[in-house]
Amino acid sequence: MSFVLSVAVLSGVYLVVARLERLPTFRFRTLTSPRPYLATDLGWYGVAVAATALSVFVFRPVLVNLNVGPIREAMAGAPFLVKLLLGVVVFDLVSFLVHRALHRYDLLWSIHKVHHSTLQLDGLATTRTHMIENMLRFVPSQALLFLIGMPVTVVATSVAIAAIYGVSNHSNVGINLRCIEPVFVTPRLHRRHHVPSTTQNNYGGIFTIWDRLCGTLVQRDTTTDERFGVPGEVLTYPQAFGPAFRRPLLDIRESNVDHTAAA
């Protein structure tokens, strides 16, 4: 039931954001209507739901048994809100580290390109994430949370908060939220990450502290005429769901063939 409720709530968030980001008062730019590649991103949404199901029903029952005894005992008496705050911070830190790795290593970048291939940044674009990337983002972070003694309720809530925050970050919302940027990532900041010229910046999902510490935070505004997409492949990366799903696997296979030939 909790899984069904989570999917229903997240679907509701997508619908609310889709409405707000198209209102003249809230929007960053006028979005194309009808939305291009709607079927593609609905396909990716199905992938995200499947990844969530794997996480909840396959990985979580195994991960929940992980713990470091002394840390678990120390955490046992902490109030729920303290655990939740720590859970969100730890989850976001692991997500940040995974995100940087997705950009740093060629094999992982081949997978992450799918996410950057969106040409129209809005809430639904959040779903454009390959199944392999979903596993890389959510399994290690949950493993660490269970390892430090977090209960299932805290882990599940931390994941839900990160997912909902991700929808807001990718949205077309253009209202001024600079007042919270010393602590929190905003759509304005994450928008720069999807501009090819600054895609090696602003990796943070919820908190800006990680980018500040690593010197990767860029606070420059994105202009309404700047394009989003895969650096060097804005016009060529496949937009249809099937070719886009297969593309990382083909890139990895081609890379292995090249390495074999070089050897």
Side-chain angles (χ1 to χ4, degrees):
M1 180 61 70
S2 60
F3 168 73
V4 174
L5 179 61
S6 297
V7 173
V9 169
L10 190 57
S11 298
V13 170
Y14 279 115
L15 293 175
V16 171
V17 170
R19 176 56 180 159
L20 291 177
E21 66 187 354
R22 284 164 172 77
L23 296 176
T25 306
F26 293 98
R27 70 190 181 201
F28 166 66
R29 61 170 58 152
T30 301
L31 296 177
T32 305
S33 183
R35 186 190 187 281
Y37 305 110
L38 175 61
T40 292
D41 288 312
L42 288 177
W44 287 117
Y45 181 66
V47 170
V49 172
T52 302
L54 279 174
S55 174
V56 171
F57 298 116
V58 178
F59 291 105
R60 191 172 291 171
V62 176
L63 299 177
V64 73
N65 296 312
L66 297 174
N67 66 82
V68 177
I71 300 179
R72 180 194 60 199
E73 293 169 7
M75 289 299 303
F80 176 80
L81 289 180
V82 172
K83 292 179 182 176
L84 181 59
L85 176 60
L86 180 59
V88 171
V89 170
V90 170
F91 186 95
D92 194 53
L93 173 58
V94 175
S95 181
F96 172 83
L97 295 174
V98 171
H99 194 180
R100 287 201 69 180
L102 288 168
H103 280 261
R104 182 174 181 180
Y105 300 103
D106 290 344
L107 186 149
L108 297 180
W109 173 237
S110 295
I111 298 167
H112 189 49
K113 279 182 183 181
V114 167
H115 182 63
H116 278 267
S117 69
T118 184
L119 303 178
Q120 176 171 293
L121 203 60
D122 60 4
L124 189 58
T126 315
T127 67
R128 194 177 288 205
T129 306
H130 204 277
M131 173 71 81
I132 300 173
E133 178 175 342
N134 278 316
M135 294 296 100
L136 290 173
R137 282 182 176 272
F138 287 97
V139 174
S141 53
Q142 291 186 71
L144 181 56
L145 289 176
F146 283 122
L147 198 62
I148 63 175
M150 293 296 179
V152 172
T153 52
V154 169
V155 175
T157 306
S158 298
V159 172
I161 290 173
I164 292 171
Y165 206 91
V167 177
S168 70
N169 278 350
H170 289 84
S171 72
N172 186 53
V173 171
I175 57 177
N176 189 342
L177 297 172
R178 285 177 173 81
C179 60
I180 69 171
E181 288 179 353
V183 179
F184 296 106
V185 176
T186 62
R188 183 183 82 91
L189 292 179
H190 191 69
R191 198 170 288 130
R192 282 253 47 109
H193 180 70
H194 282 265
V195 176
S197 63
T198 48
T199 195
Q200 301 297 335
N201 301 93
N202 296 9
Y203 297 107
I206 298 177
F207 302 108
T208 57
I209 184 174
W210 319 124
D211 279 303
R212 292 182 188 279
L213 290 173
C214 295
T216 52
L217 183 67
V218 170
Q219 301 186 66
R220 185 166 78 250
D221 281 339
T222 300
T223 60
T224 54
D225 61 342
E226 287 186 273
R227 302 196 66 172
F228 304 121
V230 179
E233 301 178 63
V234 172
L235 298 178
T236 59
Y237 201 89
Q239 293 295 315
F241 176 76
F245 189 90
R246 295 190 297 271
R247 175 64 182 272
L249 306 178
L250 295 174
D251 284 349
I252 292 170
R253 185 176 69 179
E254 183 178 335
S255 176
N256 289 334
V257 170
D258 289 344
H259 288 160
T260 301

